[in-house]
Coordinates of all heavy atoms in Angstrom, one line a residue:
M936 N -0.8 -13.2 -3.0 CA 0.0 -13.6 -4.1 C 0.8 -14.9 -3.9 O 0.6 -15.8 -4.6 CB 1.0 -12.4 -4.4 CG 1.7 -12.6 -5.7 SD 2.4 -11.0 -6.1 CE 4.1 -11.5 -6.5
F937 N 1.6 -14.9 -2.8 CA 2.3 -16.1 -2.4 C 1.6 -16.7 -1.2 O 1.4 -16.0 -0.2 CB 3.8 -15.8 -2.1 CG 4.5 -15.3 -3.3 CD1 4.9 -14.0 -3.4 CD2 4.9 -16.2 -4.3 CE1 5.6 -13.6 -4.5 CE2 5.6 -15.8 -5.4 CZ 5.9 -14.4 -5.5
K938 N 1.3 -18.0 -1.2 CA 0.7 -18.6 -0.1 C 1.7 -18.9 1.0 O 1.4 -19.0 2.1 CB -0.1 -19.8 -0.5 CG -1.3 -19.4 -1.4 CD -2.1 -20.6 -1.8 CE -3.2 -20.1 -2.7 NZ -4.1 -21.2 -3.1
D939 N 2.9 -19.2 0.6 CA 4.0 -19.6 1.5 C 4.7 -18.3 2.0 O 5.3 -17.6 1.2 CB 5.0 -20.5 0.8 CG 6.0 -21.0 1.8 OD1 5.8 -20.9 3.0 OD2 7.0 -21.6 1.3
S940 N 4.6 -18.0 3.3 CA 5.2 -16.8 3.8 C 6.7 -16.9 3.8 O 7.4 -15.8 3.7 CB 4.7 -16.5 5.2 OG 5.1 -17.5 6.1
A941 N 7.3 -18.0 3.9 CA 8.7 -18.2 3.9 C 9.3 -17.8 2.5 O 10.3 -17.2 2.4 CB 9.1 -19.6 4.3
L942 N 8.5 -18.2 1.5 CA 8.9 -17.9 0.1 C 8.8 -16.4 -0.1 O 9.8 -15.8 -0.7 CB 8.0 -18.6 -0.9 CG 8.3 -18.3 -2.4 CD1 9.7 -18.8 -2.8 CD2 7.3 -19.0 -3.3
S943 N 7.8 -15.8 0.3 CA 7.6 -14.3 0.1 C 8.7 -13.6 0.9 O 9.3 -12.6 0.5 CB 6.3 -13.8 0.5 OG 6.0 -14.0 1.8
R944 N 9.0 -14.0 2.1 CA 10.1 -13.4 2.9 C 11.4 -13.6 2.2 O 12.2 -12.6 2.2 CB 10.1 -14.1 4.3 CG 10.8 -13.3 5.4 CD 10.6 -13.8 6.8 NE 9.5 -14.7 7.0 CZ 9.5 -15.9 7.4 NH1 10.6 -16.4 7.8 NH2 8.4 -16.6 7.6
H945 N 11.7 -14.7 1.6 CA 12.9 -14.9 0.9 C 13.0 -14.0 -0.3 O 14.1 -13.5 -0.6 CB 13.0 -16.4 0.5 CG 14.3 -16.7 -0.2 ND1 15.5 -16.7 0.4 CD2 14.5 -17.1 -1.5 CE1 16.4 -17.1 -0.5 NE2 15.8 -17.3 -1.7
L946 N 11.9 -13.8 -1.0 CA 11.9 -12.9 -2.1 C 12.2 -11.5 -1.7 O 12.9 -10.7 -2.4 CB 10.6 -13.0 -2.9 CG 10.4 -14.3 -3.7 CD1 9.0 -14.3 -4.3 CD2 11.4 -14.4 -4.8
V947 N 11.6 -11.0 -0.6 CA 11.9 -9.7 -0.1 C 13.3 -9.5 0.3 O 14.0 -8.5 0.0 CB 10.9 -9.4 1.1 CG1 11.4 -8.1 1.8 CG2 9.5 -9.3 0.6
I948 N 13.9 -10.5 0.9 CA 15.3 -10.5 1.3 C 16.2 -10.4 0.1 O 17.2 -9.7 0.0 CB 15.7 -11.7 2.2 CG1 15.0 -11.5 3.6 CG2 17.2 -11.8 2.4 CD1 15.1 -12.7 4.5
M949 N 15.8 -11.2 -1.0 CA 16.6 -11.2 -2.2 C 16.6 -9.8 -2.9 O 17.5 -9.4 -3.6 CB 16.1 -12.2 -3.2 CG 16.5 -13.6 -2.8 SD 15.9 -14.9 -3.9 CE 16.0 -14.3 -5.5
Q950 N 15.4 -9.1 -2.8 CA 15.3 -7.8 -3.4 C 16.0 -6.7 -2.7 O 16.2 -5.6 -3.2 CB 13.8 -7.4 -3.6 CG 13.1 -8.3 -4.6 CD 11.6 -8.1 -4.6 OE1 11.1 -7.2 -3.9 NE2 10.9 -8.8 -5.5
D951 N 16.3 -6.9 -1.4 CA 17.0 -5.8 -0.6 C 18.4 -5.7 -1.0 O 19.2 -6.7 -0.8 CB 16.8 -6.2 0.9 CG 17.4 -5.1 1.8 OD1 17.5 -4.0 1.3 OD2 17.7 -5.4 3.0
P952 N 18.9 -4.6 -1.5 CA 20.3 -4.5 -1.9 C 21.2 -4.3 -0.7 O 22.4 -4.3 -0.8 CB 20.3 -3.2 -2.8 CG 19.2 -2.4 -2.3 CD 18.1 -3.4 -1.8
G953 N 20.7 -4.0 0.5 CA 21.5 -3.8 1.7 C 22.1 -2.5 1.8 O 23.1 -2.3 2.5
V954 N 21.6 -1.5 1.1 CA 22.1 -0.1 1.2 C 21.3 0.7 2.1 O 20.1 0.7 2.1 CB 22.1 0.5 -0.2 CG1 22.6 1.9 -0.2 CG2 22.9 -0.3 -1.2
A955 N 22.0 1.4 3.1 CA 21.3 2.2 4.0 C 21.9 3.6 4.0 O 23.0 3.8 3.5 CB 21.5 1.6 5.5
P956 N 21.1 4.6 4.4 CA 21.6 6.0 4.3 C 22.9 6.1 5.2 O 22.9 5.6 6.4 CB 20.5 6.8 4.8 CG 19.3 6.0 4.6 CD 19.7 4.6 4.8
N957 N 23.9 6.8 4.7 CA 25.1 7.0 5.5 C 25.1 8.5 5.9 O 25.2 9.4 5.0 CB 26.3 6.7 4.6 CG 27.6 6.7 5.4 OD1 27.6 7.1 6.5 ND2 28.7 6.4 4.7
T958 N 25.0 8.8 7.2 CA 24.9 10.1 7.6 C 26.3 10.9 7.7 O 26.3 12.1 7.9 CB 24.3 10.2 9.0 OG1 25.1 9.4 9.9 CG2 22.9 9.7 9.0
N959 N 27.4 10.2 7.5 CA 28.7 10.8 7.6 C 29.6 10.5 6.4 O 30.8 10.5 6.5 CB 29.4 10.5 8.9 CG 29.6 9.0 9.1 OD1 29.2 8.2 8.3 ND2 30.1 8.7 10.3
G960 N 29.0 10.1 5.3 CA 29.7 9.6 4.1 C 30.2 10.7 3.2 O 31.1 10.6 2.5
L961 N 29.5 11.9 3.3 CA 29.9 13.0 2.4 C 30.5 14.1 3.2 O 30.0 14.5 4.2 CB 28.7 13.5 1.6 CG 28.1 12.6 0.6 CD1 26.8 13.2 0.1 CD2 29.0 12.4 -0.6
P962 N 31.6 14.7 2.6 CA 32.1 15.9 3.3 C 31.2 17.1 3.1 O 30.6 17.2 2.0 CB 33.5 16.1 2.6 CG 33.3 15.4 1.3 CD 32.4 14.3 1.5
G963 N 31.0 17.9 4.1 CA 30.2 19.0 4.0 C 28.7 18.8 4.3 O 27.9 19.6 4.1
L964 N 28.4 17.6 4.8 CA 27.0 17.2 5.1 C 26.4 18.1 6.2 O 25.2 18.6 6.0 CB 26.8 15.8 5.4 CG 25.4 15.2 5.3 CD1 24.8 15.4 4.0 CD2 25.5 13.7 5.7
P965 N 27.1 18.5 7.2 CA 26.6 19.4 8.2 C 26.2 20.8 7.6 O 25.2 21.4 8.0 CB 27.7 19.5 9.3 CG 28.4 18.3 9.1 CD 28.4 17.9 7.7
E966 N 27.0 21.2 6.7 CA 26.7 22.5 6.0 C 25.5 22.4 5.2 O 24.7 23.4 5.1 CB 27.9 23.0 5.2 CG 29.1 23.5 6.0 CD 30.0 22.3 6.5 OE1 29.8 21.2 6.1 OE2 30.8 22.6 7.4
V967 N 25.3 21.3 4.5 CA 24.0 21.1 3.7 C 22.8 21.1 4.6 O 21.8 21.6 4.3 CB 24.2 19.8 2.9 CG1 22.8 19.5 2.2 CG2 25.3 19.9 1.9
R968 N 22.9 20.4 5.8 CA 21.8 20.4 6.7 C 21.5 21.8 7.2 O 20.4 22.2 7.4 CB 22.1 19.5 7.9 CG 22.1 18.1 7.6 CD 22.2 17.2 8.8 NE 22.1 15.8 8.5 CZ 22.9 14.9 8.9 NH1 23.9 15.2 9.7 NH2 22.7 13.6 8.5
T969 N 22.6 22.6 7.5 CA 22.4 24.0 7.9 C 21.7 24.8 6.8 O 20.8 25.6 7.1 CB 23.7 24.6 8.3 OG1 24.3 23.9 9.3 CG2 23.6 26.1 8.8
L970 N 22.1 24.6 5.6 CA 21.5 25.3 4.4 C 20.1 24.9 4.2 O 19.2 25.7 4.0 CB 22.3 24.9 3.2 CG 21.9 25.6 1.9 CD1 22.0 27.1 2.0 CD2 22.6 25.1 0.7
A971 N 19.8 23.6 4.5 CA 18.4 23.1 4.3 C 17.5 23.8 5.4 O 16.4 24.2 5.2 CB 18.3 21.6 4.4
G972 N 18.0 23.9 6.6 CA 17.3 24.5 7.7 C 17.0 26.0 7.4 O 16.0 26.5 7.7
A973 N 18.1 26.7 6.9 CA 17.9 28.1 6.5 C 16.9 28.3 5.4 O 16.1 29.2 5.4 CB 19.3 28.7 6.1
T974 N 16.9 27.3 4.5 CA 15.9 27.4 3.4 C 14.5 27.2 3.9 O 13.6 27.9 3.4 CB 16.3 26.3 2.3 OG1 17.6 26.5 1.9 CG2 15.4 26.4 1.1
I975 N 14.3 26.3 4.8 CA 13.0 26.1 5.4 C 12.5 27.4 6.1 O 11.4 27.8 6.0 CB 13.0 24.9 6.4 CG1 13.1 23.6 5.6 CG2 11.8 24.9 7.3 CD1 13.4 22.4 6.5
T976 N 13.4 28.0 6.9 CA 13.1 29.2 7.6 C 12.7 30.3 6.6 O 11.7 31.0 6.7 CB 14.3 29.7 8.4 OG1 14.6 28.7 9.3 CG2 13.9 31.0 9.2
F977 N 13.5 30.5 5.5 CA 13.2 31.5 4.5 C 11.9 31.2 3.8 O 11.1 32.1 3.6 CB 14.3 31.5 3.4 CG 14.1 32.5 2.3 CD1 14.3 33.9 2.6 CD2 13.7 32.1 1.1 CE1 14.0 34.8 1.6 CE2 13.5 33.0 0.1 CZ 13.7 34.3 0.3
A978 N 11.6 29.9 3.5 CA 10.3 29.6 2.9 C 9.1 29.8 3.8 O 8.1 30.3 3.3 CB 10.3 28.1 2.5
L979 N 9.3 29.6 5.1 CA 8.2 29.8 6.0 C 7.9 31.3 6.2 O 6.8 31.8 6.2 CB 8.4 29.2 7.4 CG 8.3 27.7 7.4 CD1 8.7 27.1 8.7 CD2 6.9 27.2 7.0
V980 N 9.0 32.1 6.2 CA 8.8 33.6 6.3 C 8.1 34.1 5.0 O 7.3 35.0 5.1 CB 10.2 34.3 6.5 CG1 10.1 35.8 6.3 CG2 10.7 33.9 7.9
T981 N 8.5 33.5 3.9 CA 7.9 33.9 2.6 C 6.4 33.6 2.6 O 5.5 34.3 2.1 CB 8.6 33.2 1.4 OG1 10.0 33.5 1.5 CG2 8.0 33.7 0.1
C982 N 6.0 32.4 3.2 CA 4.6 32.0 3.3 C 3.8 33.0 4.2 O 2.7 33.3 3.9 CB 4.5 30.6 3.9 SG 4.9 29.3 2.7
V983 N 4.5 33.5 5.3 CA 3.8 34.4 6.2 C 3.5 35.7 5.4 O 2.5 36.3 5.5 CB 4.6 34.7 7.4 CG1 4.1 35.8 8.2 CG2 4.7 33.4 8.3
V984 N 4.5 36.2 4.7 CA 4.4 37.4 3.9 C 3.3 37.3 2.9 O 2.4 38.1 2.7 CB 5.7 37.9 3.3 CG1 5.5 39.0 2.3 CG2 6.7 38.2 4.3
A985 N 3.3 36.1 2.2 CA 2.2 35.9 1.2 C 0.9 35.8 1.8 O -0.1 36.2 1.2 CB 2.6 34.6 0.4
L986 N 0.8 35.2 3.0 CA -0.5 35.1 3.7 C -1.0 36.5 4.1 O -2.2 36.8 3.9 CB -0.3 34.3 5.0 CG -1.6 34.1 5.8 CD1 -2.6 33.3 5.1 CD2 -1.2 33.5 7.1
I987 N -0.1 37.4 4.5 CA -0.5 38.7 4.9 C -1.0 39.5 3.6 O -2.1 40.2 3.7 CB 0.6 39.5 5.6 CG1 0.9 38.8 6.9 CG2 0.3 41.0 5.7 CD1 2.2 39.3 7.6
I988 N -0.3 39.4 2.6 CA -0.6 40.1 1.3 C -2.0 39.6 0.8 O -2.8 40.4 0.4 CB 0.5 40.1 0.3 CG1 1.7 40.8 0.8 CG2 0.0 40.6 -1.1 CD1 2.9 40.7 -0.1
S989 N -2.1 38.3 0.8 CA -3.3 37.7 0.3 C -4.5 38.0 1.1 O -5.6 38.2 0.6 CB -3.2 36.2 0.2 OG -2.1 35.8 -0.7
A990 N -4.4 38.0 2.4 CA -5.5 38.4 3.3 C -5.9 39.8 3.1 O -7.1 40.1 3.1 CB -5.1 38.1 4.8
A991 N -4.9 40.7 2.9 CA -5.2 42.1 2.6 C -5.9 42.2 1.3 O -6.9 43.0 1.2 CB -3.9 42.9 2.6
A992 N -5.5 41.5 0.3 CA -6.2 41.5 -1.0 C -7.6 41.0 -0.9 O -8.6 41.5 -1.5 CB -5.4 40.7 -2.0
W993 N -7.8 39.9 -0.1 CA -9.1 39.4 0.1 C -10.0 40.4 0.8 O -11.2 40.6 0.3 CB -9.0 38.1 0.9 CG -10.2 37.3 1.1 CD1 -11.5 37.5 0.6 CD2 -10.3 36.1 1.9 NE1 -12.3 36.5 1.0 CE2 -11.7 35.6 1.8 CE3 -9.4 35.4 2.6 CZ2 -12.1 34.5 2.4 CZ3 -9.9 34.2 3.2 CH2 -11.2 33.8 3.1
A994 N -9.5 41.1 1.8 CA -10.3 42.0 2.5 C -10.6 43.3 1.7 O -11.8 43.7 1.6 CB -9.6 42.5 3.8
L995 N -9.6 43.7 0.9 CA -9.9 44.9 0.1 C -10.9 44.6 -1.1 O -11.7 45.4 -1.5 CB -8.6 45.4 -0.5 CG -7.7 46.1 0.5 CD1 -6.3 46.5 -0.2 CD2 -8.3 47.4 1.0
G996 N -10.8 43.3 -1.6 CA -11.7 42.9 -2.6 C -13.1 42.8 -2.1 O -14.1 43.2 -2.8
N997 N -13.3 42.4 -0.9 CA -14.6 42.3 -0.3 C -15.2 43.7 0.0 O -16.3 44.0 -0.2 CB -14.6 41.5 1.0 CG -14.7 40.0 0.7 OD1 -15.2 39.6 -0.4 ND2 -14.2 39.2 1.6
I998 N -14.3 44.6 0.5 CA -14.7 46.0 0.9 C -15.1 46.7 -0.4 O -16.1 47.4 -0.4 CB -13.6 46.7 1.6 CG1 -13.4 46.1 3.0 CG2 -13.9 48.2 1.7 CD1 -12.2 46.6 3.8
N999 N -14.3 46.6 -1.4 CA -14.6 47.4 -2.7 C -15.6 46.7 -3.6 O -16.0 47.2 -4.6 CB -13.3 47.6 -3.4 CG -12.4 48.5 -2.7 OD1 -12.8 49.3 -2.0 ND2 -11.1 48.2 -2.9
G1000 N -16.1 45.5 -3.2 CA -17.1 44.8 -4.0 C -16.5 44.3 -5.3 O -17.2 44.2 -6.3
N1001 N -15.2 43.9 -5.3 CA -14.6 43.3 -6.4 C -14.4 41.8 -6.2 O -13.5 41.4 -5.5 CB -13.2 44.0 -6.7 CG -12.6 43.6 -8.0 OD1 -12.9 42.6 -8.6 ND2 -11.6 44.3 -8.4
P1002 N -15.3 41.0 -6.7 CA -15.3 39.5 -6.4 C -14.0 38.8 -7.0 O -13.5 37.9 -6.4 CB -16.5 39.0 -7.0 CG -17.0 40.0 -8.0 CD -16.5 41.3 -7.6
N1003 N -13.5 39.3 -8.1 CA -12.3 38.7 -8.7 C -11.1 38.9 -7.8 O -10.3 38.0 -7.6 CB -12.1 39.3 -10.1 CG -11.0 38.6 -10.9 OD1 -10.8 37.4 -10.6 ND2 -10.3 39.3 -11.7
F1004 N -11.0 40.2 -7.3 CA -9.8 40.5 -6.4 C -10.0 39.7 -5.1 O -9.0 39.2 -4.6 CB -9.9 42.0 -6.2 CG -8.5 42.5 -5.8 CD1 -7.4 42.4 -6.6 CD2 -8.4 43.2 -4.6 CE1 -6.2 43.0 -6.2 CE2 -7.2 43.8 -4.2 CZ -6.1 43.6 -5.0
A1005 N -11.2 39.6 -4.6 CA -11.4 38.8 -3.4 C -11.1 37.3 -3.6 O -10.6 36.7 -2.7 CB -12.8 39.0 -2.9
S1006 N -11.5 36.8 -4.7 CA -11.3 35.4 -5.0 C -9.8 35.1 -5.1 O -9.3 34.1 -4.6 CB -12.0 35.0 -6.4 OG -11.7 33.7 -6.7
K1007 N -9.0 36.0 -5.8 CA -7.6 35.8 -5.9 C -6.9 35.9 -4.5 O -6.0 35.1 -4.2 CB -6.9 36.9 -6.8 CG -7.4 36.8 -8.2 CD -6.9 35.6 -8.9 CE -7.4 35.6 -10.4 NZ -7.1 34.5 -11.1
G1008 N -7.4 36.7 -3.7 CA -6.9 36.8 -2.3 C -7.2 35.6 -1.5 O -6.3 35.1 -0.8
R1009 N -8.4 35.0 -1.7 CA -8.8 33.8 -1.0 C -7.9 32.6 -1.4 O -7.5 31.8 -0.6 CB -10.3 33.5 -1.2 CG -10.8 32.4 -0.4 CD -12.3 32.2 -0.6 NE -13.0 33.4 -0.9 CZ -13.7 33.6 -2.0 NH1 -13.8 32.7 -2.9 NH2 -14.4 34.7 -2.2
I1010 N -7.7 32.5 -2.7 CA -6.8 31.5 -3.2 C -5.4 31.6 -2.7 O -4.7 30.7 -2.4 CB -6.9 31.5 -4.8 CG1 -8.2 31.0 -5.3 CG2 -5.8 30.6 -5.4 CD1 -8.4 31.2 -6.8
G1011 N -4.9 32.9 -2.6 CA -3.6 33.1 -2.1 C -3.5 32.7 -0.6 O -2.4 32.2 -0.2
V1012 N -4.5 33.0 0.1 CA -4.5 32.6 1.6 C -4.4 31.1 1.7 O -3.6 30.5 2.4 CB -5.8 33.2 2.3 CG1 -6.0 32.5 3.6 CG2 -5.6 34.7 2.5
L1013 N -5.3 30.4 0.9 CA -5.3 28.9 1.0 C -4.0 28.3 0.5 O -3.4 27.4 1.1 CB -6.4 28.4 0.2 CG -7.8 28.7 0.8 CD1 -8.9 28.2 -0.2 CD2 -8.0 28.1 2.1
A1014 N -3.4 28.9 -0.6 CA -2.1 28.4 -1.1 C -1.0 28.6 -0.1 O -0.1 27.7 0.1 CB -1.8 29.1 -2.4
S1015 N -0.9 29.8 0.5 CA 0.2 30.1 1.4 C 0.0 29.2 2.7 O 1.0 28.7 3.2 CB 0.2 31.5 1.8 OG -1.0 32.0 2.4
L1016 N -1.2 29.0 3.1 CA -1.4 28.1 4.3 C -1.0 26.7 4.0 O -0.3 26.0 4.7 CB -2.8 28.2 4.8 CG -3.2 29.4 5.5 CD1 -4.7 29.4 5.9 CD2 -2.4 29.5 6.8
G1017 N -1.4 26.2 2.8 CA -1.0 24.8 2.3 C 0.5 24.7 2.2 O 1.0 23.7 2.6
A1018 N 1.1 25.7 1.6 CA 2.6 25.6 1.5 C 3.3 25.6 2.8 O 4.2 24.9 3.0 CB 3.1 26.8 0.6
A1019 N 2.8 26.4 3.8 CA 3.4 26.5 5.1 C 3.2 25.1 5.8 O 4.1 24.6 6.5 CB 2.8 27.6 5.9
I1020 N 2.1 24.5 5.6 CA 1.8 23.2 6.2 C 2.8 22.1 5.6 O 3.4 21.3 6.4 CB 0.4 22.7 6.1 CG1 -0.5 23.6 7.0 CG2 0.2 21.3 6.4 CD1 -2.0 23.4 6.7
L1021 N 2.9 22.1 4.3 CA 3.8 21.2 3.7 C 5.3 21.4 4.0 O 6.1 20.5 4.3 CB 3.7 21.2 2.2 CG 2.4 20.6 1.6 CD1 2.3 20.8 0.1 CD2 2.4 19.1 1.9
I1022 N 5.7 22.7 4.1 CA 7.1 23.0 4.4 C 7.4 22.7 5.9 O 8.4 22.1 6.2 CB 7.4 24.5 4.1 CG1 7.3 24.8 2.6 CG2 8.7 24.9 4.7 CD1 7.3 26.2 2.3
G1023 N 6.5 23.0 6.7 CA 6.7 22.7 8.2 C 6.7 21.2 8.5 O 7.4 20.8 9.4
S1024 N 6.0 20.4 7.7 CA 5.9 19.0 8.0 C 6.8 18.2 7.0 O 6.7 17.0 7.0 CB 4.5 18.5 7.9 OG 4.0 18.7 6.6
A1025 N 7.7 18.9 6.3 CA 8.5 18.2 5.3 C 9.4 17.1 5.9 O 9.6 16.0 5.4 CB 9.4 19.2 4.5
N1026 N 10.0 17.5 7.1 CA 10.9 16.6 7.7 C 10.2 15.3 8.2 O 10.7 14.2 8.0 CB 11.6 17.3 8.9 CG 12.8 16.5 9.4 OD1 13.4 15.8 8.7 ND2 13.2 16.8 10.7
S1027 N 9.0 15.5 8.8 CA 8.2 14.3 9.2 C 7.7 13.5 8.1 O 7.7 12.3 8.1 CB 7.0 14.8 10.1 OG 7.5 15.5 11.2
L1028 N 7.3 14.2 7.0 CA 6.8 13.4 5.8 C 7.9 12.6 5.2 O 7.7 11.4 4.8 CB 6.3 14.4 4.8 CG 4.9 15.1 5.1 CD1 4.6 16.2 4.1 CD2 3.8 14.0 5.1
I1029 N 9.1 13.2 5.1 CA 10.2 12.4 4.5 C 10.6 11.3 5.4 O 10.9 10.2 4.9 CB 11.4 13.4 4.2 CG1 11.0 14.3 3.0 CG2 12.7 12.6 3.9 CD1 12.0 15.3 2.7
K1030 N 10.6 11.5 6.7 CA 11.0 10.4 7.6 C 9.9 9.3 7.6 O 10.3 8.1 7.6 CB 11.0 11.0 9.1 CG 11.5 10.0 10.1 CD 11.6 10.7 11.4 CE 12.2 9.7 12.4 NZ 12.3 10.3 13.8
F1031 N 8.7 9.7 7.4 CA 7.6 8.6 7.3 C 7.8 7.8 6.0 O 7.8 6.6 6.1 CB 6.2 9.3 7.4 CG 5.1 8.3 7.1 CD1 4.7 7.4 8.1 CD2 4.5 8.3 5.9 CE1 3.7 6.5 7.9 CE2 3.4 7.5 5.7 CZ 3.0 6.6 6.6
F1032 N 7.9 8.5 4.9 CA 7.9 7.8 3.6 C 9.2 7.1 3.4 O 9.2 6.1 2.6 CB 7.6 8.8 2.5 CG 6.1 9.1 2.4 CD1 5.7 10.4 2.7 CD2 5.2 8.1 2.1 CE1 4.3 10.7 2.6 CE2 3.8 8.4 2.1 CZ 3.4 9.7 2.3
S1033 N 10.3 7.5 4.0 CA 11.5 6.7 3.8 C 11.5 5.4 4.6 O 12.3 4.6 4.3 CB 12.7 7.6 4.2 OG 12.7 7.8 5.6
G1034 N 10.6 5.3 5.6 CA 10.6 4.1 6.3 C 9.6 3.0 5.7 O 9.5 1.9 6.3
I1035 N 8.9 3.4 4.7 CA 8.0 2.4 4.0 C 8.8 1.4 3.3 O 9.7 1.7 2.5 CB 7.0 3.1 3.1 CG1 6.1 4.0 4.0 CG2 6.2 2.2 2.3 CD1 5.1 4.8 3.1
V1036 N 8.5 0.1 3.5 CA 9.2 -1.0 2.8 C 8.2 -1.4 1.7 O 7.1 -1.8 1.9 CB 9.5 -2.2 3.7 CG1 10.1 -3.3 3.0 CG2 10.4 -1.7 4.9
I1037 N 8.8 -1.4 0.5 CA 8.0 -1.8 -0.7 C 8.5 -3.2 -1.1 O 9.7 -3.3 -1.4 CB 8.1 -0.8 -1.9 CG1 7.6 0.5 -1.4 CG2 7.3 -1.3 -3.1 CD1 7.8 1.6 -2.4
G1038 N 7.6 -4.1 -1.2 CA 8.0 -5.4 -1.7 C 7.5 -6.6 -1.0 O 7.0 -6.8 0.0

């Protein structure tokens, strides 16, 4: 887009508002972090329970010859595994995407 790198660097600097995350600017931030950690734990435990129930539904559907029940169980297993992967990697994903500079 711009052939002159100094001009593009100047435009990027002009677009930067100079605002950075403040880790101690709000009162109660440690409690919010504790609450977020507890929510992650609760969500992961919920994913484990959903995985167990879905795997049991999948197995019972296969044993009884009910393809609809087995299909719902299979979808539940995949959904609970996907949710657990996203929840477990949420901190890393947010850290990665917050470091991306657009501009």
Side-chain angles (χ1 to χ4, degrees):
M936 188 165 133
F937 296 106
K938 293 182 181 180
D939 186 16
S940 64
L942 177 62
S943 65
R944 199 171 336 126
H945 181 68
L946 288 174
V947 169
I948 291 172
M949 285 177 40
Q950 292 174 357
D951 183 22
V954 178
N957 186 356
T958 58
N959 56 4
L961 290 174
L964 197 56
E966 288 80 11
V967 172
R968 286 189 179 132
T969 303
L970 182 64
T974 304
I975 289 172
T976 303
F977 180 74
L979 287 175
V980 169
T981 305
C982 286
V983 169
V984 171
L986 179 68
I987 292 168
I988 292 171
S989 298
W993 188 1
L995 288 173
N997 279 337
I998 289 171
N999 294 330
N1001 188 344
N1003 187 29
F1004 204 59
S1006 174
K1007 298 290 183 185
R1009 188 177 326 121
I1010 290 171
V1012 166
L1013 293 176
S1015 60
L1016 285 176
I1020 289 169
L1021 285 175
I1022 292 166
S1024 63
N1026 197 22
S1027 300
L1028 288 171
I1029 291 173
K1030 186 175 181 181
F1031 172 76
F1032 284 113
S1033 67
I1035 294 178
V1036 178
I1037 299 174

